[in-house]
Structures are given as C-alpha cells and as structure tokens.
Amino acid sequence: MYQITLGLRSLLYRKNQYASLLLVCLVGVGVSLFSIFLIRGMLFSLESKARLYYGGDYQFIGGKNNLSFDKVEEYIEKLESIFGENAVVSPRFDCDAKNTALYFEGVGVRQRVIKGVDFEREKKLFQSVNYVAGNAEDIAGTNGILLSEPIAEMLGVSMGDEITLMLRTGTGYLNTMTLVVKGIFRDSSLFGMYTSYMDIGFLRKVFGASDEWANRIAIDFQGKVPKKTEEYQALLENEFTMYRLVEDKQIFYNELLTGKLKDATYALTPLSANMQELNVLIRAMEAIASFVIITLVVIIVAGIGSTYRVLVMKRINEIGIYMAIGMKNSSIVLTILSESLFLLFAGCVLGLLFALFLCGVLSAFNFSFIPAFDVFLQNGHLFPIFDAKATLFVPLLVIILTVVAVLYSIQKSVRIMPVKALATTE
C-alpha cells in the first residue's frame, strides 16, 4: 500500500524530529520489560530455594495431635496412586534444631532445622543445588551431611571433615554422633543458612525414631503440576480425613497441635501455603513492578500522543496538499498513522534489546554482600528471566494506547478544508 510506503519515507525524512519520541518509547518499554524479567528471576530463585527446603510442590502433613506417620511407606503408596507416576513422593523428617548444634574443633554452631531426606527419591531435586564443594550423590544411607557455606565457614570445615552433631532425642536425652561433610551449598538465605540435610534413616537413628517414621511427606512433580490443588484435595478426601485447604499452614497447626481435631487429620499444603510469610513480600514486588510498568506506559502514551498532536498541527499545510491531489481522509490518516506505527515498532524492538542489555549488565554483579538478599540470588548473582508473554503484552499495550492517542490528533487535523489547510503555514 502506497500510504505505508509514504509514511515510512516521511518518518525517515523527519527522523531528527522523531528521535526524542523513539528514545521515550525505547527507554519506557526497555525499563518495563527489564522490571518484569528481574522480578521473575528473583521469584524463580526464591521458589527454587523454597522447593528444596519443602521438598517440592506439596507437603502432606498431619496425624493425631501431632505431625507423625508411623508407617510412612503405606501412606506413600496411597499418595503415589493419587498423584501419579510423574510425582516423586518422599518421606521427610524435619528435626527442630533449637536444642541441636554442630561442633568442630571446639567451635559450635546452632542450627534452625536439620532435615532428614530420602536422597535416592529426591536425587533430581538435589542435583539443582548450587554446591560450593561436593554434592549429594553418595550421601544416601551414610552419616554424611550437607551444610550451607556460611555454616561451613563458621565451623571452619571443608569437604570430608568429621563434625559432631549433638541433639536431644525424642525421649529427651542428649545424643551425639559423628558426621562427615559430604557437600557444602551456597545459600545464606532464611531457607538455607541454618538448615542442614542428612540421610533420613541416619537421622532417625540419632533421634531414636522408628525406621518407618516420618513427620512429613513431600510431593514433587519436577515440573508443571498436572492438576489443580482442589482436584488433588478431592482425591485425598476419599482416602484420608482431610483438613480444608488453607492459605497458611499455621491455621492447621494451631488446631492439630492443640488437640482440637478429634481424629487423625491430614492437610495438603502447596508451596504457597508454606511460604505464607513471604507471600506479602512477593505481592509487594509484583505491585512495584506493575506500578513501574503502568507509570512508564502512561509516560510513553502521554508523551508521544501530545508531541504528535503538535507535529501534526505543524503539518497542516502538507495535509492540505494531500487533499488537493485527491487523497481521501482515510488515506491521509493511514499515511500519518503508519509513521507512528513504524516509530513504535522500532522503539519496542530497541526497548527489548535495551532490556536484555540491562539484564546482562546486572547479572555480572555479585550481590551476596547484601544481608538477607541471598534468597533472591543464584550463586550470588541476580539472573533475570525472559518472559515471552510480557514481551508481547507490554509492547502491544504501548502500541495500541499510543495509536489511539495519535489517531485522535490526526482525525482532528484532516477535518479541515483543503483551502484553509493550504493557506496555513508551519
């Protein structure tokens, strides 16, 4: 269509006039996409650490006035039939470590929790851990332990060193056991710094628990969850006395542990329910990103729309020439509108490149020096994640809203009579 060709030529001819508009679009779209990529990367890192800490996508918890599964394998068999073959269903023993400490050559460090894990079942989950040294490959069935890097530095230990674990058993006695450092992982967040991992069988032995006992069952799909939580809840209700789905697992704890539930009752807690304390932070981050995007989109639309109104008014004489040679109003509108479309398209493409550039620059810096920020980091760095939907949505939103604003200005100009338009000077 000749209108589009004419519009492109006009844009190139007036490139100096449109340079500032291109810059506004470039920066606005670029910063908006960068904000989305950054927030997505931070939340992915947060979720990855939480998945390791809680064992995957869901936890199945409950019992009679306590968190307890006496014959855990029987429960696992039922859960495997409900969640399907793609789910990894694994027993876990979270040992409250308030009376627990690790010692090495006279140095002691208290832990918040020691997690007993079936490393054979959860092998794939622990392969994703960012290890400074060692790994979890040969830890199953041994007295090995995985420590966070900050704890290893406090103790002054390295791979292969023997440390002493002191904990209070289920019967109230203090017990000590020698452990071997099999892996050191890089995590100083609230999920990792004071958390250690060891073989569930060995931890049961130290604690004095039965070989068939656990206090949690983790369900990990290692990818997208195939069904909604409500669907799994309905299936579980056919096999167990289930507590209602809640957004905060503490609601279930408050009733279970105080004896308000008469029968053995169980609850399915998705990752979001386990992360309730952090959900406020997550929503705040998403709100900030939304505010930044909305603000920048308004600036782009208002800036380009108002500037285009002035530029179009200065081109009244040109519009009069178009009318004099017989161009219809619709053709004139399409000609001028095509200029803005080319401008916006170029600005959005350059904005995407600018966002990717910012992502690359940011990921080069180490932010591990910021206290409590490690929960959002991977190996000490921020790694923004590309979002295809946002890459389409944000530019499309900018283009549509800006075109509407520009179209209003163009339509007002083409309603003028040709003689009056030709008589107007810029």
Side-chain angles (χ1 to χ4, degrees):
M1 299 174 66
Y2 73 90
Q3 296 95 336
I4 296 177
T5 304
L6 189 61
L8 179 59
R9 289 179 178 176
S10 178
L11 177 65
L12 295 176
Y13 178 74
R14 295 179 172 84
K15 57 182 179 293
N16 293 333
Q17 290 181 329
Y18 291 127
S20 59
L21 299 183
L22 180 66
L23 185 62
V24 169
C25 185
L26 183 158
V27 173
V29 171
V31 174
S32 297
L33 291 177
F34 170 70
S35 301
I36 295 174
F37 298 165
L38 176 61
I39 295 296
R40 188 179 178 196
M42 293 171 69
L43 293 181
F44 175 79
S45 177
L46 172 63
E47 184 178 309
S48 297
K49 290 178 170 60
R51 284 173 58 81
L52 177 69
Y53 187 85
Y54 293 109
D57 301 291
Y58 293 103
Q59 277 196 344
F60 184 75
I61 55 178
K64 178 67 173 178
N65 300 331
N66 202 354
L67 298 177
S68 178
F69 298 100
D70 291 330
K71 294 183 178 180
V72 69
E73 289 299 329
E74 294 180 4
Y75 289 89
I76 289 177
E77 287 180 11
K78 292 181 180 180
L79 293 176
E80 286 176 338
S81 65
I82 291 172
F83 287 95
E85 59 182 11
N86 292 328
V88 175
V89 183
S90 175
R92 279 204 170 194
F93 174 18
D94 282 14
C95 180
D96 186 355
K98 61 184 178 182
N99 296 316
T100 301
L102 299 172
Y103 295 92
F104 181 74
E105 295 184 349
V107 178
V109 175
R110 288 195 176 275
Q111 295 287 275
R112 185 165 65 91
V113 62
I114 294 181
K115 290 181 173 285
V117 178
D118 187 329
F119 286 100
E120 288 295 333
R121 284 184 165 121
E122 298 190 37
K123 184 176 182 180
K124 188 171 183 180
L125 182 63
F126 277 84
Q127 286 176 343
S128 63
V129 177
N130 183 20
Y131 294 102
V132 177
N135 52 55
E137 290 295 323
D138 301 319
I139 197 172
T142 72
N143 64 336
I145 188 169
L146 301 180
L147 300 175
S148 68
E149 185 180 25
I151 295 298
E153 291 177 352
M154 291 179 191
L155 290 171
V157 300
S158 56
M159 273 288 298
D161 286 341
E162 292 186 351
I163 62 176
T164 301
L165 166 68
M166 183 183 72
L167 59 72
R168 192 171 295 278
T169 67
T171 55
Y173 294 99
L174 283 176
N175 192 11
T176 59
M177 191 68 69
T178 299
L179 304 176
V180 178
V181 179
K182 289 293 186 75
I184 300 173
F185 57 90
R186 178 162 290 158
D187 191 351
S188 59
S189 72
L190 71 166
F191 289 124
M193 183 169 179
Y194 292 100
T195 302
S196 299
Y197 298 88
M198 56 187 296
D199 179 71
I200 187 171
F202 198 82
L203 184 57
R204 286 168 177 158
K205 181 180 178 181
V206 179
F207 188 76
S210 164
D211 291 341
E212 297 180 340
W213 185 84
N215 58 10
R216 285 163 177 79
I217 299 176
I219 300 102
D220 182 23
F221 285 95
Q222 304 177 4
K224 187 177 180 181
V225 180
K227 293 182 181 180
K228 294 182 179 179
T229 302
E230 292 78 9
E231 296 180 60
Y232 287 121
Q233 174 77 5
L235 294 173
L236 289 168
E237 288 173 353
N238 295 328
E239 295 286 342
F240 307 98
T241 300
M242 295 295 296
Y243 194 77
R244 70 182 186 277
L245 288 174
V246 291
E247 294 182 358
D248 186 354
K249 66 179 181 182
Q250 195 61 44
I251 297 173
F252 172 63
Y253 284 173
N254 291 340
E255 294 197 34
L256 176 73
L257 303 180
T258 56
K260 294 181 180 179
L261 303 175
K262 296 181 180 180
D263 301 319
T265 306
Y266 303 92
L268 180 67
T269 58
L271 196 59
S272 58
N274 287 318
M275 297 169 56
Q276 184 60 31
E277 296 84 356
L278 293 172
N279 283 341
V280 174
L281 176 61
I282 294 171
R283 286 193 290 269
M285 292 172 62
E286 292 173 343
I288 291 172
S290 300
F291 175 77
V292 169
I293 293 168
I294 292 172
T295 302
L296 290 173
V297 169
V298 170
I299 292 174
I300 294 171
V301 173
I304 295 180
S306 60
T307 304
Y308 233 99
R309 185 178 296 114
V310 175
L311 293 176
V312 170
M313 291 301 296
K314 292 177 67 176
R315 295 171 61 183
I316 290 295
N317 188 262
E318 177 186 339
I319 292 173
I321 295 175
Y322 288 153
M323 291 177 175
I325 62 176
M327 284 184 66
K328 297 181 179 179
N329 287 355
S330 58
S331 296
I332 298 174
V333 170
L334 182 59
T335 299
I336 301 177
L337 195 61
S338 63
E339 294 179 19
S340 63
L341 287 173
F342 283 123
L343 175 70
L344 290 168
F345 181 77
C348 290
V349 172
L350 293 175
L352 173 59
L353 296 177
F354 180 56
L356 296 176
F357 170 76
L358 292 177
C359 291
V361 171
L362 186 71
S363 62
F365 293 93
N366 191 310
F367 294 94
S368 57
F369 63 91
I370 303 177
F373 196 61
D374 190 69
V375 70
F376 299 117
L377 305 178
Q378 299 179 50
N379 197 22
H381 296 261
L382 285 169
F383 287 103
I385 295 179
F386 180 79
D387 190 328
K389 291 183 179 178
T391 303
L392 292 175
F393 175 75
V394 172
L396 189 61
L397 180 65
V398 169
I399 290 173
I400 292 175
L401 294 179
T402 307
V403 165
V404 171
V406 171
L407 185 61
Y408 176 75
S409 302
I410 297 174
Q411 286 181 331
K412 287 186 64 177
S413 300
V414 298
R415 290 173 185 162
I416 192 171
M417 294 297 291
V419 174
K420 188 176 180 180
L422 286 170
T424 303
T425 58
E426 296 186 5

